[in-house]
Amino acid sequence: MENMKRTVTCGNLRLADNGKIVVLNGWVHRHRDHGGIKFIDLRDRYGITQIVVDADSPDKLKAAAQDLKFEYCIAVKGKVRPRPESMKNTRMPTGEIEVQAEDIDILSRCDVLPFMIDEKSDAREELRFKYRYLDLRSFSMQRKIKLRHEVVFAVRGYLKDHDFYEIETPTLIKSTPEGARDFLVPARLFPGRFYALPQSPQLFKQILMISGFDKYFQIARCFRDEDARGDRQPEHTQIDIEMSFVSKDDIFAVLEGLFCHIFKEALSFELKIPFKRIAYNDAMNRYGSDKPDLRFQLYLKDFNEFADEGDFKVFKSVLENKGTIKAIVAPGCGSFSRKQISELEETAKIYGASGLAWMKVTEEGLEGGISKFYSSQADKIKTGLDAKPGDLILLAGSGWKKACTSLGAVRIKLAHILNLVSPDVFEFCWVTDFPLFEWNEDEKRWEAAHHMFTMPQEQYIKDMEKDPGKVKGDLYDLVCNGVELASGSIRIHDPGLQRRIFKIVGFSEEEAQRRFGFLLEALKYGPPPHGGIAPGLDRLIMLMAGENTIREVIAFPKNTQGVSLMDESPSEVDDEQLKELHIKVVRE
RNA sequence: GGGGGCGUGGCGAAGCUGGUUAUCGCGCCGGCCUGUCAAGCCGGAAGCCGCGGGUUCAAGUCCCGUCGCUCCCGCCA
């Protein structure tokens, strides 16, 4: 190897290097044998360089070249020369030159590949994950991993320049079973006791504020034992941030600056700041989602007034039950078939709507569907909903939230059908003023909508207990293109207020002590007002890379079952290991 | 926990209302070829159609079950 170590990479030779003797190390990406002459595309992380084995090469060299197969790892010594004018390849950066091989060393051989190493592998994900090391060799994966690296460095650079300290918090922590299910780790030295893997560094970062660290961040791995999705894995990475002596506007400003910097550094893309702000109620009412996709309009509209005056009994009874009727106008969709409409209805039903009513808009008035119940109000409805002849009005009536979200799903579906979603656009917005509590119908109690350490908005604090459902929190999400990118809040720093919150969510003093005692204790010692936010790194990279799953931007992801197909975790362990941990497996 | 989709040589797919020997592209093996860059041409090998059961004269195709993957609802403070 000593005299076959690379002197250049496969991406950096140019015409100016003409005549140089170089050594390249890399993988056989493609090889084309013309009998006399042979070409090898040699690949490394930096690019591809064409190697030529000339017809008049020594036999030993020709034999070595003959041997080469896909993905052999080789070293090539040779001379850089310009390609003949008509043979230049303008599609590759090194396309003006080639390296005339003088010596080829096979460093290692490669079995027949399970799939080709390609820009866009057509192998199914299952296989790509099993052979992730091969999958990661493709330029498209290398690009995404590089992007991730760039983003992480941009984050560190920006936050360091803004006086943040990067501080690590423990991975083995106390289980605080509220919210997501914890991953548990048995404690060998304490039979029957367990650590938990953090769902986020939440409590620790608050404690760091109490310690006076002022501005903290961490690229933190977070673990949640819940079902995975395209944008959810059992473990994911957050850019965890917390600050003292701030209001939400300060946090917004830091995040906007940070994201600007990230997009500029990693994508050379100028983000427009400040980001829009939308209150949770408005987001639900207009977009039918708390993570609205602002890349297209298609606003939801209120139909209560018309429903009240019309004769459609189903909607009347919705109103009597204090429900809401929402409408969406699908432009030019009056020609939709029954089938198309029923597909939209299926979408609404997935989100709990009992059905999707419709009316077609004509020059004369309204037609089809439930239009006969509204014939006398046709003009008023057309004006009120801003509907034009040829449009299709879709309606969902239900409880407010369900009506909004089910029609919100229809909105997204319509946008795709009508091709309204522009790619390469980043529409950011802050969603603010979330409710602090949500009623849990199953357990008949109030629970924290975000987490229990969120500050209620000032004006609600006094009478919080009277109607917890009305209380808005100092809570905010950062959303981009319909993806929830970050979630944060101003935290409670007053132990008394914290106790009132615990009480509303039905936590006894003892239970609060048992679970969060250390935080409550810490809050006694001069805690600063503080707040923070935690953007999800995987989702951010996913958006930046134009992917629709975070699995595409994680080097070694798990599948939707939480299984790592490459190392085959989770796996069974030896009885000996279990014994040491004082654990017995109960098989059902 | 629930619903939708998928599973066919190593890989990606086709295979209609059941009917000869399961098709195509890539890869693999052998041969030809001095300018390709997804090289080309000729020849060849390779399949228990995820698995189990059923219906039928006959099942890749229909039915039931099961496993795996995936999308979605629930869940995800």
Short mmCIF file of all heavy atoms in Angstrom, two decimals, chain B residues 38-59:
data_model
loop_
_atom_site.label_atom_id
_atom_site.label_comp_id
_atom_site.label_asym_id
_atom_site.label_seq_id
_atom_site.Cartn_x
_atom_site.Cartn_y
_atom_site.Cartn_z
P A B 38 -23.78 7.66 -19.08
OP1 A B 38 -24.40 7.87 -20.41
OP2 A B 38 -23.36 8.81 -18.27
"O5'" A B 38 -24.73 6.74 -18.18
"C5'" A B 38 -24.19 6.12 -17.02
"C4'" A B 38 -24.54 4.65 -16.99
"O4'" A B 38 -25.98 4.50 -16.92
"C3'" A B 38 -24.08 3.86 -18.22
"O3'" A B 38 -23.74 2.54 -17.84
"C2'" A B 38 -25.34 3.81 -19.09
"O2'" A B 38 -25.41 2.69 -19.94
"C1'" A B 38 -26.41 3.70 -18.02
N9 A B 38 -27.71 4.21 -18.44
C8 A B 38 -27.99 5.26 -19.29
N7 A B 38 -29.26 5.47 -19.45
C5 A B 38 -29.87 4.50 -18.67
C6 A B 38 -31.21 4.19 -18.42
N6 A B 38 -32.21 4.86 -18.96
N1 A B 38 -31.47 3.16 -17.60
C2 A B 38 -30.44 2.49 -17.05
N3 A B 38 -29.13 2.70 -17.21
C4 A B 38 -28.92 3.72 -18.04
P A B 39 -22.29 1.99 -18.13
OP1 A B 39 -22.26 0.58 -17.76
OP2 A B 39 -21.35 2.93 -17.54
"O5'" A B 39 -22.15 2.15 -19.72
"C5'" A B 39 -22.39 1.04 -20.53
"C4'" A B 39 -22.42 1.51 -21.94
"O4'" A B 39 -21.04 1.72 -22.41
"C3'" A B 39 -23.00 0.54 -22.95
"O3'" A B 39 -24.40 0.60 -22.97
"C2'" A B 39 -22.37 1.05 -24.24
"O2'" A B 39 -22.99 2.22 -24.69
"C1'" A B 39 -20.95 1.38 -23.77
N9 A B 39 -20.06 0.21 -23.88
C8 A B 39 -19.56 -0.58 -22.89
N7 A B 39 -18.79 -1.55 -23.31
C5 A B 39 -18.79 -1.38 -24.69
C6 A B 39 -18.16 -2.09 -25.73
N6 A B 39 -17.38 -3.14 -25.52
N1 A B 39 -18.37 -1.66 -26.99
C2 A B 39 -19.15 -0.59 -27.18
N3 A B 39 -19.80 0.15 -26.28
C4 A B 39 -19.57 -0.29 -25.05
P G B 40 -25.23 -0.76 -23.25
OP1 G B 40 -26.66 -0.39 -23.31
OP2 G B 40 -24.77 -1.82 -22.34
"O5'" G B 40 -24.75 -1.16 -24.72
"C5'" G B 40 -25.20 -0.41 -25.85
"C4'" G B 40 -24.57 -0.98 -27.10
"O4'" G B 40 -23.13 -0.98 -26.94
"C3'" G B 40 -24.91 -2.45 -27.38
"O3'" G B 40 -26.15 -2.58 -28.03
"C2'" G B 40 -23.74 -2.86 -28.27
"O2'" G B 40 -23.89 -2.37 -29.59
"C1'" G B 40 -22.58 -2.12 -27.60
N9 G B 40 -21.90 -2.94 -26.60
C8 G B 40 -21.96 -2.84 -25.23
N7 G B 40 -21.22 -3.72 -24.61
C5 G B 40 -20.64 -4.46 -25.62
C6 G B 40 -19.74 -5.56 -25.57
O6 G B 40 -19.26 -6.11 -24.57
N1 G B 40 -19.40 -6.03 -26.84
C2 G B 40 -19.86 -5.49 -28.01
N2 G B 40 -19.42 -6.06 -29.13
N3 G B 40 -20.70 -4.46 -28.08
C4 G B 40 -21.03 -4.00 -26.86
P C B 41 -27.05 -3.87 -27.70
OP1 C B 41 -28.38 -3.59 -28.28
OP2 C B 41 -26.92 -4.22 -26.27
"O5'" C B 41 -26.36 -5.02 -28.55
"C5'" C B 41 -26.27 -4.92 -29.96
"C4'" C B 41 -25.37 -6.00 -30.49
"O4'" C B 41 -24.02 -5.80 -30.00
"C3'" C B 41 -25.71 -7.42 -30.05
"O3'" C B 41 -26.78 -7.98 -30.77
"C2'" C B 41 -24.39 -8.13 -30.28
"O2'" C B 41 -24.18 -8.40 -31.65
"C1'" C B 41 -23.39 -7.06 -29.82
N1 C B 41 -23.03 -7.22 -28.40
C2 C B 41 -22.05 -8.18 -28.07
O2 C B 41 -21.54 -8.86 -28.98
N3 C B 41 -21.70 -8.36 -26.77
C4 C B 41 -22.29 -7.62 -25.83
N4 C B 41 -21.91 -7.82 -24.56
C5 C B 41 -23.28 -6.65 -26.13
C6 C B 41 -23.62 -6.48 -27.42
P C B 42 -27.78 -9.00 -30.01
OP1 C B 42 -28.93 -9.20 -30.92
OP2 C B 42 -28.00 -8.57 -28.61
"O5'" C B 42 -26.92 -10.34 -29.97
"C5'" C B 42 -26.50 -10.96 -31.18
"C4'" C B 42 -25.62 -12.15 -30.88
"O4'" C B 42 -24.38 -11.70 -30.27
"C3'" C B 42 -26.18 -13.12 -29.85
"O3'" C B 42 -27.15 -14.00 -30.38
"C2'" C B 42 -24.91 -13.84 -29.39
"O2'" C B 42 -24.49 -14.79 -30.35
"C1'" C B 42 -23.92 -12.68 -29.34
N1 C B 42 -23.86 -12.09 -28.00
C2 C B 42 -23.06 -12.73 -27.04
O2 C B 42 -22.45 -13.77 -27.36
N3 C B 42 -22.99 -12.23 -25.78
C4 C B 42 -23.67 -11.13 -25.48
N4 C B 42 -23.56 -10.66 -24.24
C5 C B 42 -24.49 -10.46 -26.44
C6 C B 42 -24.55 -10.96 -27.67
P G B 43 -28.34 -14.54 -29.42
OP1 G B 43 -29.22 -15.37 -30.26
OP2 G B 43 -28.90 -13.42 -28.64
"O5'" G B 43 -27.55 -15.48 -28.41
"C5'" G B 43 -27.12 -16.78 -28.83
"C4'" G B 43 -26.23 -17.40 -27.81
"O4'" G B 43 -25.19 -16.47 -27.40
"C3'" G B 43 -26.86 -17.77 -26.46
"O3'" G B 43 -27.67 -18.93 -26.52
"C2'" G B 43 -25.62 -17.96 -25.61
"O2'" G B 43 -24.95 -19.17 -25.93
"C1'" G B 43 -24.77 -16.78 -26.08
N9 G B 43 -24.99 -15.63 -25.21
C8 G B 43 -25.69 -14.47 -25.47
N7 G B 43 -25.71 -13.65 -24.45
C5 G B 43 -24.99 -14.31 -23.46
C6 G B 43 -24.67 -13.93 -22.12
O6 G B 43 -24.97 -12.88 -21.53
N1 G B 43 -23.93 -14.92 -21.46
C2 G B 43 -23.55 -16.11 -22.02
N2 G B 43 -22.85 -16.93 -21.23
N3 G B 43 -23.83 -16.47 -23.24
C4 G B 43 -24.55 -15.53 -23.90
P G B 44 -28.90 -19.12 -25.52
OP1 G B 44 -29.63 -20.35 -25.89
OP2 G B 44 -29.61 -17.82 -25.43
"O5'" G B 44 -28.17 -19.36 -24.12
"C5'" G B 44 -27.41 -20.54 -23.92
"C4'" G B 44 -26.69 -20.48 -22.59
"O4'" G B 44 -25.94 -19.24 -22.48
"C3'" G B 44 -27.58 -20.45 -21.35
"O3'" G B 44 -28.06 -21.74 -21.01
"C2'" G B 44 -26.63 -19.89 -20.30
"O2'" G B 44 -25.71 -20.88 -19.87
"C1'" G B 44 -25.85 -18.85 -21.12
N9 G B 44 -26.41 -17.50 -20.95
C8 G B 44 -27.13 -16.77 -21.88
N7 G B 44 -27.48 -15.59 -21.42
C5 G B 44 -26.96 -15.54 -20.14
C6 G B 44 -27.00 -14.51 -19.16
O6 G B 44 -27.55 -13.39 -19.24
N1 G B 44 -26.35 -14.88 -17.99
C2 G B 44 -25.73 -16.09 -17.79
N2 G B 44 -25.16 -16.27 -16.59
N3 G B 44 -25.67 -17.06 -18.69
C4 G B 44 -26.30 -16.71 -19.83
P A B 45 -29.40 -21.93 -20.14
OP1 A B 45 -29.83 -23.34 -20.24
OP2 A B 45 -30.34 -20.82 -20.47
"O5'" A B 45 -28.86 -21.68 -18.67
"C5'" A B 45 -27.90 -22.56 -18.09
"C4'" A B 45 -27.42 -21.97 -16.79
"O4'" A B 45 -26.89 -20.65 -17.04
"C3'" A B 45 -28.52 -21.74 -15.76
"O3'" A B 45 -28.80 -22.90 -15.02
"C2'" A B 45 -27.91 -20.64 -14.89
"O2'" A B 45 -26.98 -21.15 -13.97
"C1'" A B 45 -27.17 -19.80 -15.94
N9 A B 45 -27.95 -18.65 -16.40
C8 A B 45 -28.66 -18.52 -17.56
N7 A B 45 -29.24 -17.35 -17.72
C5 A B 45 -28.88 -16.66 -16.56
C6 A B 45 -29.16 -15.36 -16.10
N6 A B 45 -29.90 -14.49 -16.78
N1 A B 45 -28.66 -15.00 -14.91
C2 A B 45 -27.92 -15.89 -14.23
N3 A B 45 -27.57 -17.13 -14.55
C4 A B 45 -28.09 -17.45 -15.74
P A B 46 -30.30 -23.20 -14.55
OP1 A B 46 -30.27 -24.48 -13.80
OP2 A B 46 -31.19 -23.04 -15.73
"O5'" A B 46 -30.58 -22.02 -13.54
"C5'" A B 46 -29.96 -22.01 -12.25
"C4'" A B 46 -30.12 -20.67 -11.62
"O4'" A B 46 -29.66 -19.65 -12.53
"C3'" A B 46 -31.55 -20.25 -11.30
"O3'" A B 46 -32.02 -20.81 -10.10
"C2'" A B 46 -31.42 -18.74 -11.23
"O2'" A B 46 -30.87 -18.33 -9.99
"C1'" A B 46 -30.41 -18.47 -12.34
N9 A B 46 -31.08 -18.10 -13.59
C8 A B 46 -31.48 -18.92 -14.62
N7 A B 46 -32.06 -18.29 -15.61
C5 A B 46 -32.05 -16.96 -15.20
C6 A B 46 -32.52 -15.78 -15.79
N6 A B 46 -33.11 -15.75 -16.98
N1 A B 46 -32.35 -14.63 -15.12
C2 A B 46 -31.75 -14.67 -13.92
N3 A B 46 -31.26 -15.72 -13.25
C4 A B 46 -31.45 -16.84 -13.96
P G B 47 -33.42 -21.56 -10.02
OP1 G B 47 -33.19 -22.94 -9.63
OP2 G B 47 -34.20 -21.28 -11.26
"O5'" G B 47 -34.05 -20.78 -8.81
"C5'" G B 47 -34.14 -19.37 -8.79
"C4'" G B 47 -35.53 -18.93 -8.41
"O4'" G B 47 -36.14 -18.34 -9.58
"C3'" G B 47 -36.45 -20.05 -7.94
"O3'" G B 47 -37.06 -19.70 -6.72
"C2'" G B 47 -37.46 -20.21 -9.07
"O2'" G B 47 -38.75 -20.50 -8.59
"C1'" G B 47 -37.45 -18.83 -9.71
N9 G B 47 -37.78 -18.83 -11.13
C8 G B 47 -37.71 -19.87 -12.02
N7 G B 47 -38.10 -19.55 -13.23
C5 G B 47 -38.46 -18.21 -13.11
C6 G B 47 -38.97 -17.32 -14.08
O6 G B 47 -39.19 -17.53 -15.27
N1 G B 47 -39.19 -16.06 -13.55
C2 G B 47 -38.96 -15.70 -12.25
N2 G B 47 -39.24 -14.45 -11.91
N3 G B 47 -38.49 -16.53 -11.32
C4 G B 47 -38.27 -17.76 -11.83
P C B 48 -37.07 -20.66 -5.48
OP1 C B 48 -36.97 -19.74 -4.36
OP2 C B 48 -36.04 -21.71 -5.69
"O5'" C B 48 -38.49 -21.36 -5.39
"C5'" C B 48 -39.07 -22.02 -6.51
"C4'" C B 48 -40.52 -22.27 -6.18
"O4'" C B 48 -40.65 -23.66 -5.79
"C3'" C B 48 -41.03 -21.46 -4.98
"O3'" C B 48 -42.41 -21.12 -5.09
"C2'" C B 48 -40.82 -22.37 -3.80
"O2'" C B 48 -41.74 -22.10 -2.75
"C1'" C B 48 -41.08 -23.76 -4.44
N1 C B 48 -40.28 -24.78 -3.77
C2 C B 48 -40.69 -25.26 -2.52
O2 C B 48 -41.74 -24.80 -2.01
N3 C B 48 -39.94 -26.19 -1.89
C4 C B 48 -38.84 -26.64 -2.45
N4 C B 48 -38.14 -27.55 -1.77
C5 C B 48 -38.39 -26.19 -3.71
C6 C B 48 -39.13 -25.27 -4.33
P C B 49 -43.36 -20.91 -6.03
OP1 C B 49 -44.57 -21.15 -5.26
OP2 C B 49 -43.13 -21.55 -7.30
"O5'" C B 49 -43.23 -19.36 -6.26
"C5'" C B 49 -42.75 -18.49 -5.21
"C4'" C B 49 -43.14 -17.08 -5.56
"O4'" C B 49 -43.14 -16.95 -7.01
"C3'" C B 49 -44.54 -16.69 -5.10
"O3'" C B 49 -44.49 -15.37 -4.65
"C2'" C B 49 -45.39 -16.83 -6.35
"O2'" C B 49 -46.47 -15.92 -6.41
"C1'" C B 49 -44.38 -16.48 -7.44
N1 C B 49 -44.69 -17.13 -8.74
C2 C B 49 -45.13 -16.33 -9.80
O2 C B 49 -45.24 -15.12 -9.63
N3 C B 49 -45.41 -16.92 -10.98
C4 C B 49 -45.28 -18.24 -11.12
N4 C B 49 -45.57 -18.77 -12.29
C5 C B 49 -44.84 -19.06 -10.05
C6 C B 49 -44.56 -18.47 -8.88
P G B 50 -45.20 -14.57 -3.62
OP1 G B 50 -46.59 -14.98 -3.34
OP2 G B 50 -44.86 -13.29 -4.22
"O5'" G B 50 -44.39 -14.79 -2.26
"C5'" G B 50 -42.98 -14.95 -2.27
"C4'" G B 50 -42.50 -15.16 -0.86
"O4'" G B 50 -42.90 -14.03 -0.05
"C3'" G B 50 -43.11 -16.37 -0.16
"O3'" G B 50 -42.42 -17.56 -0.45
"C2'" G B 50 -42.99 -15.98 1.32
"O2'" G B 50 -41.67 -16.17 1.77
"C1'" G B 50 -43.24 -14.46 1.25
N9 G B 50 -44.65 -14.14 1.49
C8 G B 50 -45.53 -13.51 0.65
N7 G B 50 -46.71 -13.35 1.17
C5 G B 50 -46.61 -13.92 2.43
C6 G B 50 -47.57 -14.05 3.46
O6 G B 50 -48.75 -13.69 3.47
N1 G B 50 -47.05 -14.68 4.58
C2 G B 50 -45.76 -15.13 4.68
N2 G B 50 -45.44 -15.71 5.83
N3 G B 50 -44.85 -15.02 3.74
C4 G B 50 -45.34 -14.40 2.65
P C B 51 -43.25 -18.90 -0.79
OP1 C B 51 -42.33 -19.82 -1.48
OP2 C B 51 -44.53 -18.52 -1.43
"O5'" C B 51 -43.63 -19.49 0.64
"C5'" C B 51 -42.65 -19.63 1.67
"C4'" C B 51 -43.34 -19.82 3.00
"O4'" C B 51 -43.95 -18.55 3.40
"C3'" C B 51 -44.52 -20.78 2.98
"O3'" C B 51 -44.11 -22.13 3.09
"C2'" C B 51 -45.31 -20.33 4.20
"O2'" C B 51 -44.73 -20.78 5.40
"C1'" C B 51 -45.14 -18.81 4.11
N1 C B 51 -46.26 -18.18 3.38
C2 C B 51 -47.46 -17.98 4.08
O2 C B 51 -47.54 -18.36 5.26
N3 C B 51 -48.51 -17.39 3.46
C4 C B 51 -48.39 -17.00 2.20
N4 C B 51 -49.44 -16.42 1.63
C5 C B 51 -47.19 -17.19 1.46
C6 C B 51 -46.15 -17.77 2.09
P G B 52 -45.02 -23.28 2.41
OP1 G B 52 -44.28 -24.54 2.57
OP2 G B 52 -45.44 -22.83 1.06
"O5'" G B 52 -46.31 -23.31 3.33
"C5'" G B 52 -46.22 -23.82 4.66
"C4'" G B 52 -47.55 -23.75 5.35
"O4'" G B 52 -47.95 -22.37 5.50
"C3'" G B 52 -48.72 -24.38 4.60
"O3'" G B 52 -48.75 -25.79 4.72
"C2'" G B 52 -49.91 -23.72 5.28
"O2'" G B 52 -50.16 -24.29 6.55
"C1'" G B 52 -49.37 -22.30 5.48
N9 G B 52 -49.78 -21.43 4.36
C8 G B 52 -49.05 -21.05 3.26
N7 G B 52 -49.70 -20.27 2.44
C5 G B 52 -50.96 -20.13 3.03
C6 G B 52 -52.10 -19.40 2.61
O6 G B 52 -52.24 -18.72 1.60
N1 G B 52 -53.15 -19.55 3.52
C2 G B 52 -53.11 -20.29 4.67
N2 G B 52 -54.22 -20.31 5.41
N3 G B 52 -52.06 -20.96 5.07
C4 G B 52 -51.02 -20.84 4.21
P G B 53 -49.47 -26.64 3.56
OP1 G B 53 -49.33 -28.06 3.93
OP2 G B 53 -48.98 -26.17 2.23
"O5'" G B 53 -51.00 -26.20 3.68
"C5'" G B 53 -51.85 -26.89 4.58
"C4'" G B 53 -53.15 -26.15 4.76
"O4'" G B 53 -52.91 -24.72 4.77
"C3'" G B 53 -54.19 -26.31 3.66
"O3'" G B 53 -54.85 -27.55 3.70
"C2'" G B 53 -55.11 -25.13 3.95
"O2'" G B 53 -55.92 -25.36 5.07
"C1'" G B 53 -54.07 -24.05 4.29
N9 G B 53 -53.73 -23.29 3.07
C8 G B 53 -52.55 -23.30 2.37
N7 G B 53 -52.57 -22.51 1.32
C5 G B 53 -53.85 -21.94 1.35
C6 G B 53 -54.47 -21.00 0.47
O6 G B 53 -54.00 -20.46 -0.53
N1 G B 53 -55.77 -20.71 0.87
C2 G B 53 -56.40 -21.25 1.98
N2 G B 53 -57.65 -20.85 2.20
N3 G B 53 -55.83 -22.12 2.80
C4 G B 53 -54.57 -22.41 2.43
P G B 54 -55.26 -28.24 2.29
OP1 G B 54 -55.76 -29.61 2.59
OP2 G B 54 -54.16 -28.04 1.31
"O5'" G B 54 -56.50 -27.34 1.84
"C5'" G B 54 -57.68 -27.34 2.63
"C4'" G B 54 -58.61 -26.24 2.19
"O4'" G B 54 -57.89 -24.99 2.10
"C3'" G B 54 -59.21 -26.39 0.79
"O3'" G B 54 -60.30 -27.29 0.78
"C2'" G B 54 -59.63 -24.95 0.49
"O2'" G B 54 -60.83 -24.61 1.15
"C1'" G B 54 -58.48 -24.16 1.11
N9 G B 54 -57.47 -23.80 0.11
C8 G B 54 -56.18 -24.27 0.00
N7 G B 54 -55.52 -23.73 -0.99
C5 G B 54 -56.42 -22.85 -1.56
C6 G B 54 -56.27 -21.98 -2.68
O6 G B 54 -55.28 -21.81 -3.41
N1 G B 54 -57.45 -21.27 -2.93
C2 G B 54 -58.61 -21.37 -2.20
N2 G B 54 -59.63 -20.60 -2.59
N3 G B 54 -58.75 -22.17 -1.15
C4 G B 54 -57.63 -22.87 -0.89
P U B 55 -60.59 -28.15 -0.55
OP1 U B 55 -61.65 -29.13 -0.22
OP2 U B 55 -59.29 -28.61 -1.12
"O5'" U B 55 -61.21 -27.07 -1.53
"C5'" U B 55 -62.45 -26.45 -1.23
"C4'" U B 55 -62.81 -25.45 -2.30
"O4'" U B 55 -61.83 -24.37 -2.29
"C3'" U B 55 -62.74 -25.99 -3.72
"O3'" U B 55 -63.93 -26.69 -4.07
"C2'" U B 55 -62.55 -24.71 -4.54
"O2'" U B 55 -63.77 -24.01 -4.70
"C1'" U B 55 -61.63 -23.90 -3.61
N1 U B 55 -60.20 -24.06 -3.96
C2 U B 55 -59.70 -23.29 -4.99
O2 U B 55 -60.38 -22.50 -5.61
N3 U B 55 -58.37 -23.49 -5.27
C4 U B 55 -57.51 -24.35 -4.63
O4 U B 55 -56.34 -24.41 -4.99
C5 U B 55 -58.11 -25.12 -3.58
C6 U B 55 -59.40 -24.95 -3.29
P U B 56 -63.78 -28.17 -4.71
OP1 U B 56 -65.16 -28.70 -4.85
OP2 U B 56 -62.77 -28.94 -3.95
"O5'" U B 56 -63.20 -27.89 -6.16
"C5'" U B 56 -63.91 -27.06 -7.06
"C4'" U B 56 -63.05 -26.73 -8.24
"O4'" U B 56 -61.94 -25.89 -7.81
"C3'" U B 56 -62.36 -27.93 -8.88
"O3'" U B 56 -63.23 -28.63 -9.75
"C2'" U B 56 -61.20 -27.25 -9.61
"O2'" U B 56 -61.63 -26.66 -10.82
"C1'" U B 56 -60.82 -26.14 -8.62
N1 U B 56 -59.68 -26.53 -7.75
C2 U B 56 -58.41 -26.17 -8.17
O2 U B 56 -58.21 -25.55 -9.19
N3 U B 56 -57.39 -26.57 -7.33
C4 U B 56 -57.50 -27.27 -6.17
O4 U B 56 -56.50 -27.56 -5.53
C5 U B 56 -58.84 -27.62 -5.80
C6 U B 56 -59.86 -27.25 -6.59
P C B 57 -63.16 -30.24 -9.78
OP1 C B 57 -64.29 -30.69 -10.59
OP2 C B 57 -62.98 -30.73 -8.38
"O5'" C B 57 -61.81 -30.53 -10.57
"C5'" C B 57 -61.26 -31.86 -10.59
"C4'" C B 57 -60.09 -31.89 -11.54
"O4'" C B 57 -60.57 -31.68 -12.89
"C3'" C B 57 -59.06 -30.79 -11.34
"O3'" C B 57 -58.11 -31.12 -10.34
"C2'" C B 57 -58.42 -30.66 -12.72
"O2'" C B 57 -57.47 -31.69 -12.95
"C1'" C B 57 -59.64 -30.91 -13.64
N1 C B 57 -60.29 -29.64 -14.04
C2 C B 57 -59.65 -28.81 -14.98
O2 C B 57 -58.55 -29.14 -15.42
N3 C B 57 -60.25 -27.67 -15.36
C4 C B 57 -61.45 -27.34 -14.86
N4 C B 57 -62.01 -26.22 -15.26
C5 C B 57 -62.11 -28.16 -13.91
C6 C B 57 -61.50 -29.30 -13.53
P A B 58 -57.63 -30.00 -9.31
OP1 A B 58 -56.64 -30.60 -8.40
OP2 A B 58 -58.85 -29.36 -8.75
"O5'" A B 58 -56.89 -28.96 -10.25
"C5'" A B 58 -55.65 -29.33 -10.86
"C4'" A B 58 -55.18 -28.24 -11.79
"O4'" A B 58 -56.17 -28.01 -12.81
"C3'" A B 58 -55.02 -26.87 -11.13
"O3'" A B 58 -53.78 -26.77 -10.47
"C2'" A B 58 -55.14 -25.93 -12.33
"O2'" A B 58 -53.92 -25.87 -13.05
"C1'" A B 58 -56.18 -26.66 -13.19
N9 A B 58 -57.53 -26.12 -12.99
C8 A B 58 -58.54 -26.65 -12.24
N7 A B 58 -59.65 -25.95 -12.27
C5 A B 58 -59.34 -24.88 -13.10
C6 A B 58 -60.09 -23.78 -13.55
N6 A B 58 -61.35 -23.56 -13.20
N1 A B 58 -59.48 -22.90 -14.36
C2 A B 58 -58.21 -23.12 -14.73
N3 A B 58 -57.40 -24.12 -14.37
C4 A B 58 -58.03 -24.98 -13.55
P A B 59 -53.66 -25.86 -9.17
OP1 A B 59 -52.28 -26.03 -8.67
OP2 A B 59 -54.80 -26.15 -8.30
"O5'" A B 59 -53.85 -24.37 -9.73
"C5'" A B 59 -52.93 -23.80 -10.68
"C4'" A B 59 -52.54 -22.41 -10.22
"O4'" A B 59 -53.77 -21.66 -10.00
"C3'" A B 59 -51.79 -22.37 -8.90
"O3'" A B 59 -50.92 -21.23 -8.91
"C2'" A B 59 -52.88 -22.17 -7.86
"O2'" A B 59 -52.44 -21.54 -6.71
"C1'" A B 59 -53.83 -21.25 -8.63
N9 A B 59 -55.22 -21.30 -8.21
C8 A B 59 -55.82 -22.21 -7.39
N7 A B 59 -57.11 -21.98 -7.19
C5 A B 59 -57.35 -20.85 -7.95
C6 A B 59 -58.52 -20.09 -8.17
N6 A B 59 -59.70 -20.39 -7.64
N1 A B 59 -58.42 -19.02 -8.98
C2 A B 59 -57.24 -18.73 -9.52
N3 A B 59 -56.07 -19.36 -9.39
C4 A B 59 -56.20 -20.41 -8.58
#
